[in-house]
Amino acid sequence: MPHTRRLLILLLCLLSSFAGVGPSLALSPVSIGREDVAIDLLPAVDLHPNRGANFQVSTVPGNDGIVRRIEVESSSANPSGNWAVFALANNTDGQIDRLVVAPHFRLSRSGLIWPDLGAQRIAAITPSEGFALDRQDSPEADVFLVTLDPGTIITFVAELSSDRLPEIRLWEPNAYKDTINAFTLYRGIVLGIAGLLAVFLTILFVVKGSPMFPATAALAWAVLAYICIDFDFWQKLVPIVPGEERIWRAGTEVALAFSLVVFLYAYLNLNRWHGILSAFTALWLTGLGGLGVLAAFDPPMASGIARMSLAATAGIGFLLILSLSVVRYDRAIMLIPTWILILFWLAAGWLTVTGRIDNDIIQPALGGGLVLIVLLIGFTVMQHAFAGGTFGSGLLSDMERRSLALAGTGDAIWDWDVARDRIFAGSDADSLLGMPVGAMNGPARDWLPILHPDDRDRFKVTLDTILEHRRGRISQDFRVRSDDGHYHWMSLRARPVLGSNGEVVRCVGTLKDVTERKKAEERLLHDALHDQLTGLPNRELFIDRLDSIAALAATRPDVRPTLFVIDIDRFKQVNDDFGIATGDTILLTVGRRLKRVLKPQDSLARLSGDQFGLILMSESEVGAVGAFAETLRDVVRAPIAFGERDIILTASVGLTAWTEGAGADEVLREAELATYQAKRLGGDRIEPFRPSFKTHASGRVELESDLRRAFGRNELTLAFQPIVKLATGEIVGFEALMRWQHAKRGPVSPAEFIPIAENTGLIVQLGQFALDEAVRRLSDWQKLPGQSKLFCSVNISSRQLIRQDLVNDVRQILKRYGIAPETLKLELTESLVMDNPERSAKLLDNLKQMGVGLSLDDFGTGYSSLSYLMRFPFDTLKIDQSFLRGDAQPQRPIIVQSIVTMAHQLGLAVVAEGVDNELDAGRLRQLNCEYAQSYMFSPPLTAEEARRRLQDRTTKKAS
């Protein structure tokens, strides 16, 4: 019987084929069970396009195996002529209710060009048995309720309203309702966030008034409109006639493309600096505006072009952002993360419309992604708009504007007419000498070609920020190319002028050539890290390079440099025999010779007076390193012509190889120990480091360790040697002297631990301790009756002098203890000041402006030059004790008299050190020398002894 049934069905199908209804041959019923929640019917649907208002079709064989012919007449006023046929089979023993659902719009497979923008899909569904299916109310899809009796096979004929049927599914009613409700909650959240964001950005535009805010707000409103259409929320606000939803959808996509171009243009300020891009953007926006009109007549074409415009905007915008980011344009850099997200969103959208991604989640996810993009753009815009720029804030008054224009005589006037975008730079003969004045007078963009490439974006951002904030002050240094092709540093100081509408109408200020000042700052930086005599790196820079090499050697086993320390033997004798000037010339010659034998990857530095450090990177083989060491010794040995004779020097060379895990300080210490060993063995030799050398320096290392712990053990104190007024013998001040009371060794001489502190960097900590302790004691003593003018002198080391924080340290200490600045005197030696005269002059000027006293110590033992005394702002001069002890050399009193006379003529007070008898004191009184300090008047006192001495003198005066 089953075989007979199959043959009968086959025969009927063949007959139907001859009758002209071939497509129904492939029709097979979709079996439905109770557990089926959602079934995709599209693979089981036969489509019959252009079949007219009446449609005939053969049904699927029923349970009895009979194929029937049915005819369906269109129920629409304007039938499309398109029909679809499918069959359902209820194989269960109970009645089943299901919903046939065909969504009006589906983004997946909608197409990129002439996309399917949605429409009513099914006008009616007629079953092969019973009445037409009931349509259920739904704004998003065509929904029909179908009831299948047990064991029935029914063929359904659907009259299509359009030529496409992108999706048709069979849903269990409760499951479909739950799915719709779940998406409704998500859509509500996304719509709420998008609406709040659009309103917030609009309010922000009203508050700030910057052009980027209306552009961002427009983008936010466009996104809100798009997701309202996509989430079928728009028709709840505006009644939509069936068929018009495509116009609205295309319109929102055009608005999205239009607002993205406007945002990119406004945010990057392309209108101010890029004329060609401005014209191109205007043409692009004009085309998109026409596209909005086209959307009313041909929505698919308008939508397809809008989608291509979005992709083009994202691609061109990304290239533009990258190019501006390369030149460090802050706005472009801040937009990179958001723009990458836009590219990812467009890629996901392309995969969706082309059908590569096809699921129910992707469409609402893309809508949420759009809101996230606008949220990130809003954060980026707010971060830029409210971030502080490089200008100072402040309101502008007419008096301040005139003051800025007239403040610096000789400065050029700089005036920017913002409304007409015209800059005028006054052609002052001194300020703008050699400058391209013609190019400087005109639109702001004309400045870009003459600015240094590294300064162009900073110049643009500064002007843009002033206009956006409508307040502040321009204070910027930049480089301008002169007529001869060289760059000059110019300093621009200007303020904005606001119009009646609160917008910036002009910026007025001064323009000054500060090239010399910039060069001086560069020299200061160079001098801080290089030896003044030889131009080689100094010890600080050398150690920094060692640290870098140590980090490199820790990661690269092939980097194993060799460190040399070269010490010239008996160089002090050369200075004594030929003079310091000749010694400096010899050091300069030796430095140049050593530099000539190096390769580019090697480094040479002057570590101290006659000591050089060398990092050998170009050679690593033992034999090559040994040969190089011999070359170094030969270089120093080569005769140096001096007059009619040759000076021949020798050197002690210490070297050490880099070991794994070694630090820069450890390696340098090993090389120095090898050099000391070479000198102990007579000099003129090369000595590689051996571990046994460390035993020779164990005492020094132990003392260094004890010194580091001395701070925590309170072993360091200050002694105060009185400074007396020669005319009355009254104590007028003290000099603070460092003392170390070792727990085991007892008192340690400053001559022993001060050099250790200087070599290890502890001298900075010692100096800070001395400065704080001295001012604290002075503050206490000044509270005694009659001691308000008491002063205290504190010595400053070379390490303190080169630190950036010395001025701040002094300022904080004065503020902490509340003493008058002039009662604190800082003592510096001539040699210390002249190690770096440019930096010293600047630092001393800053200290002098604070009111702090400055004393030149040990005068007569260093340069003793009048030019130096006139250059630096000292107020006190201390005569070295070597000029006051005894009359073995009769010229000493004459030198002292000359020094005192010279100091008084320069307006300096004089302190004589080392006065050991009353005869010398009398001579100094006759010369009107103001002050003296020595053991004759008083040895150094503890803080308590100094206080008692002051109290005793106060008591005697009172009695």
Side-chain angles (χ1 to χ4, degrees):
M1 185 64 185
H3 296 286
T4 305
R5 181 178 178 181
R6 289 194 185 98
L7 290 174
L8 180 61
I9 293 173
L10 180 60
L11 180 61
L12 290 173
C13 290
L14 288 173
L15 292 173
S16 299
S17 174
F18 287 115
V21 288
S24 65
L25 286 173
L27 192 66
S28 60
V30 177
S31 179
I32 304 173
R34 292 187 179 275
E35 303 301 325
D36 295 329
V37 175
I39 300 175
D40 185 7
L41 296 180
L42 195 60
V45 173
D46 277 352
L47 298 176
H48 301 268
N50 303 319
R51 299 298 293 271
N54 293 314
F55 177 66
Q56 294 182 3
V57 68
S58 297
T59 65
V60 173
N63 290 329
D64 55 3
I66 300 175
V67 176
R68 298 176 175 82
R69 291 281 293 176
I70 61 173
E71 181 177 355
V72 180
E73 184 176 354
S74 173
S75 61
S76 301
N78 297 310
S80 66
N82 301 316
W83 302 83
V85 182
F86 60 93
L88 303 178
N90 182 2
N91 296 325
T92 66
D93 56 359
Q95 183 175 305
I96 296 178
D97 292 331
R98 290 292 186 269
L99 295 176
V100 178
V101 180
H104 291 167
F105 174 72
R106 196 167 187 268
L107 185 63
S108 181
R109 301 183 186 276
S110 63
L112 182 60
I113 302 175
W114 277 278
D116 180 8
L117 298 180
Q120 187 182 44
R121 302 298 179 181
I122 301 176
I125 298 179
T126 303
S128 58
E129 299 178 10
F131 298 99
L133 272 63
D134 293 333
R135 178 186 291 272
Q136 308 295 306
D137 292 334
S138 175
E140 303 177 16
D142 296 320
V143 182
F144 297 87
L145 177 64
V146 58
T147 301
L148 299 175
D149 293 331
T152 59
I153 300 176
I154 301 178
T155 301
F156 296 88
V157 179
E159 180 185 357
L160 302 182
S161 301
S162 68
D163 57 350
R164 298 186 186 182
L165 186 63
E167 179 182 302
I168 181 170
R169 292 188 182 184
L170 193 67
W171 282 88
E172 196 279 326
N174 290 329
Y176 180 69
K177 181 178 180 181
D178 293 341
T179 302
I180 293 298
N181 290 338
F183 279 114
T184 301
L185 176 62
Y186 168 78
R187 291 170 176 177
I189 294 173
V190 173
L191 282 170
I193 295 174
L196 290 175
L197 189 59
V199 172
F200 174 73
L201 290 173
T202 304
I203 295 173
L204 206 59
F205 158 60
V206 175
V207 174
K208 294 294 295 181
S210 173
M212 73 172 73
F213 285 103
T216 309
L219 180 60
W221 285 109
V223 169
L224 179 61
Y226 176 84
I227 62 176
C228 281
I229 293 293
D230 194 50
F231 291 172
D232 292 305
F233 182 75
W234 189 256
Q235 60 185 351
K236 298 178 181 178
L237 302 176
V238 179
I240 299 178
V241 177
E244 289 186 357
E245 64 271 8
R246 299 191 306 161
I247 298 176
W248 287 99
R249 192 178 303 279
T252 56
E253 291 187 5
V254 172
L256 199 61
F258 186 92
S259 59
L260 185 63
V261 175
V262 172
F263 165 75
L264 184 66
Y265 180 77
Y267 178 80
L268 295 179
N269 267 328
L270 301 181
N271 61 314
R272 184 162 296 117
W273 307 109
H274 306 281
I276 297 177
L277 285 177
S278 298
F280 178 75
T281 304
L283 290 175
W284 195 329
L285 292 177
T286 301
L288 289 175
L291 203 62
V293 178
L294 179 64
F297 301 96
D298 193 343
M301 177 183 286
S303 176
I305 298 175
R307 292 180 180 185
M308 290 187 288
S309 174
L310 275 174
T313 303
I316 296 174
F318 187 66
L319 295 177
L320 187 61
I321 290 169
L322 287 182
S323 63
L324 294 176
S325 299
V326 170
V327 294
R328 297 189 293 275
Y329 185 37
D330 288 343
R331 289 195 181 190
I333 294 173
M334 293 167 63
L335 195 60
I336 288 177
T338 303
W339 211 259
I340 291 176
L341 183 60
I342 290 176
L343 293 176
F344 275 114
W345 185 88
L346 286 174
W350 175 76
L351 293 173
T352 301
V353 299
T354 57
R356 289 171 174 81
I357 299 178
D358 186 3
N359 55 55
D360 295 333
I361 299 177
I362 184 63
Q363 184 170 334
L366 288 174
L370 267 181
V371 176
L372 177 61
I373 288 171
V374 174
L375 187 63
L376 289 179
I377 288 176
F379 285 152
T380 303
V381 168
M382 286 187 291
Q383 181 182 1
H384 176 82
F386 293 106
T390 56
F391 50 88
S393 62
L395 297 176
L396 178 69
S397 67
D398 289 339
M399 182 63 70
E400 288 173 325
R401 179 176 59 83
R402 288 192 292 269
S403 175
L404 286 171
L406 302 175
T409 304
D411 294 353
I413 303 300
W414 189 85
D415 178 18
W416 181 26
D417 187 340
V418 177
R420 296 190 303 122
D421 192 19
R422 288 292 182 271
I423 292 178
F424 169 78
S427 57
D428 187 276
D430 295 329
S431 297
L432 300 182
L433 185 63
M435 295 290 103
V437 177
M440 299 168 72
N441 287 274
R445 67 169 64 95
D446 289 353
W447 279 63
L448 300 184
I450 63 174
L451 288 176
H452 193 281
D454 293 342
D455 299 332
R456 290 172 186 169
D457 286 328
R458 188 160 48 88
F459 179 77
K460 291 191 297 183
V461 170
T462 300
L463 298 190
D464 293 342
T465 309
I466 281 289
L467 297 186
E468 292 165 7
H469 287 261
R470 294 175 292 178
R471 58 187 175 87
R473 176 184 295 131
I474 300 176
S475 179
Q476 189 181 88
D477 295 343
F478 48 82
R479 287 159 287 186
V480 176
R481 188 177 64 248
S482 63
D483 292 332
D484 59 4
H486 294 88
Y487 283 97
H488 286 235
W489 277 100
M490 307 299 293
S491 177
L492 175 62
R493 302 291 183 269
R495 283 190 173 188
V497 179
L498 302 183
S500 58
N501 59 352
E503 297 294 330
V504 177
V505 295
R506 344 179 51 92
C507 284
V508 182
T510 60
L511 192 65
K512 183 177 182 180
D513 191 331
V514 292
T515 305
E516 292 302 321
R517 189 193 75 193
K518 286 291 184 179
K519 288 181 178 179
E521 292 176 354
E522 291 174 0
R523 286 196 299 269
L524 283 174
L525 180 59
H526 181 274
D527 292 346
L529 298 174
H530 291 79
D531 175 57
Q532 282 222 302
L533 176 63
T534 63
L536 296 173
N538 58 16
R539 189 181 188 92
E540 284 74 19
L541 182 55
F542 187 72
I543 293 176
D544 181 72
R545 289 183 179 177
L546 282 176
D547 287 330
S548 300
I549 292 174
L552 184 63
T555 57
R556 289 183 52 184
D558 59 316
V559 176
R560 286 297 176 265
T562 304
L563 182 63
F564 292 82
V565 173
I566 306 154
D567 195 296
I568 299 176
D569 298 327
R570 295 176 293 280
F571 186 73
K572 184 177 184 301
Q573 184 177 349
V574 175
N575 279 336
D576 294 339
D577 294 345
F578 299 99
I580 295 177
T582 302
D584 289 347
T585 303
I586 292 174
L587 286 175
L588 183 59
T589 302
V590 172
R592 289 175 177 173
R593 288 181 176 180
L594 292 173
K595 195 170 184 180
R596 279 198 292 267
V597 302
L598 300 183
K599 293 183 179 179
Q601 59 266 45
D602 303 328
S603 298
L604 179 67
R606 185 185 179 195
L607 302 181
S608 60
D610 59 349
Q611 193 177 81
F612 295 87
L614 191 149
I615 305 172
L616 181 65
M617 299 281 290
S618 57
E619 301 289 349
S620 57
E621 297 295 333
V622 176
V625 172
F628 182 81
E630 289 291 348
T631 301
L632 294 179
R633 193 165 64 151
D634 293 341
V635 164
V636 179
R637 277 179 172 178
I640 299 174
F642 178 70
E644 298 180 356
R645 58 182 298 183
D646 291 336
I647 299 176
I648 299 177
L649 302 173
T650 61
S652 297
V653 180
L655 64 98
T656 182
W658 206 281
T659 56
E660 186 175 357
D665 293 335
E666 181 182 354
V667 175
L668 180 57
R669 179 171 178 75
E670 290 177 355
E672 288 177 335
L673 289 175
T675 303
Y676 297 150
Q677 181 68 11
K679 293 187 81 69
R680 278 196 293 269
L681 295 177
D684 190 20
R685 61 185 293 131
I686 301 169
E687 197 69 36
F689 170 76
R690 289 185 288 274
S692 59
F693 293 169
K694 290 187 177 181
T695 59
H696 297 292
S698 60
R700 181 183 176 90
V701 173
E702 183 179 354
L703 192 62
E704 176 185 333
S705 300
D706 290 344
L707 181 58
R708 293 183 184 276
R709 291 190 288 267
F711 293 95
R713 295 174 176 176
N714 296 323
E715 295 176 356
L716 296 171
T717 59
L718 290 184
F720 299 90
Q721 185 168 31
I723 300 175
V724 301
K725 191 172 184 179
L726 279 172
T728 62
E730 179 185 0
I731 296 176
V732 294
F734 294 92
E735 179 181 0
L737 305 172
M738 186 65 68
R739 294 292 183 263
W740 181 13
Q741 185 68 26
H742 195 282
K744 296 180 179 178
R745 302 187 185 189
V748 181
S749 171
E752 187 176 358
F753 70 82
I754 291 298
I756 295 177
E758 289 179 342
N759 290 333
T760 58
L762 289 173
I763 192 66
V764 175
Q765 194 172 353
L766 283 176
Q768 290 176 330
F769 167 78
L771 189 61
D772 186 89
E773 179 70 9
V775 175
R776 184 174 70 87
R777 296 293 185 179
L778 179 62
S779 173
D780 180 52
W781 297 334
Q782 286 182 350
K783 295 174 183 177
L784 297 174
Q787 301 298 336
S788 60
K789 300 297 184 181
L790 191 73
F791 65 84
C792 186
S793 297
V794 182
N795 291 282
I796 298 298
S797 67
S798 59
R799 289 290 186 94
Q800 287 178 282
L801 191 62
I802 66 173
R803 288 179 71 247
Q804 298 286 349
D805 297 334
L806 178 59
V807 175
N808 289 332
D809 289 344
V810 173
R811 182 182 290 112
Q812 293 298 326
I813 289 174
L814 292 175
K815 182 179 179 181
R816 185 184 308 144
Y817 295 110
I819 69 168
E822 63 272 11
T823 61
L824 173 62
K825 294 185 179 295
L826 303 181
E827 291 194 4
L828 304 93
T829 63
E830 290 181 86
S831 57
L832 175 61
V833 172
M834 293 313 299
D835 279 345
N836 195 332
E838 293 286 348
R839 179 174 178 78
S840 299
K842 188 173 183 178
L843 181 63
L844 296 180
D845 284 338
N846 291 337
L847 291 170
K848 193 64 179 178
Q849 290 175 7
M850 292 170 54
V852 175
L854 299 174
S855 178
L856 181 61
D857 197 9
D858 297 339
F859 184 80
T861 62
Y863 294 86
S864 303
S865 170
L866 279 174
S867 63
Y868 298 145
L869 286 177
M870 296 172 64
R871 182 176 184 181
F872 302 114
F874 292 107
D875 50 44
T876 304
L877 184 149
K878 298 187 79 170
I879 303 176
D880 188 74
Q881 59 187 358
S882 60
F883 294 100
L884 297 170
R885 291 186 175 175
D887 291 330
Q889 296 182 359
Q891 65 270 28
R892 285 186 175 180
I894 299 174
I895 294 175
V896 172
Q897 181 178 356
S898 300
I899 292 174
V900 174
T901 303
M902 174 193 65
H904 287 165
Q905 290 177 350
L906 292 175
L908 305 178
V910 180
V911 179
E913 293 184 298
V915 180
D916 55 5
N917 57 66
E918 186 58 39
L919 179 60
D920 288 340
R923 290 174 179 172
L924 291 170
R925 291 190 189 97
Q926 292 176 357
L927 294 173
N928 293 325
C929 178
E930 290 89 345
Y931 309 110
Q933 69 177 91
S934 68
Y935 276 78
M936 170 184 163
F937 297 100
S938 173
L941 308 173
T942 65
E944 291 74 16
E945 290 172 343
R947 181 181 178 86
R948 286 196 297 270
R949 181 75 65 90
L950 293 172
Q951 287 176 328
D952 292 343
R953 296 186 69 87
T954 302
T955 303
K956 291 179 181 179
K957 283 184 178 181
S959 60

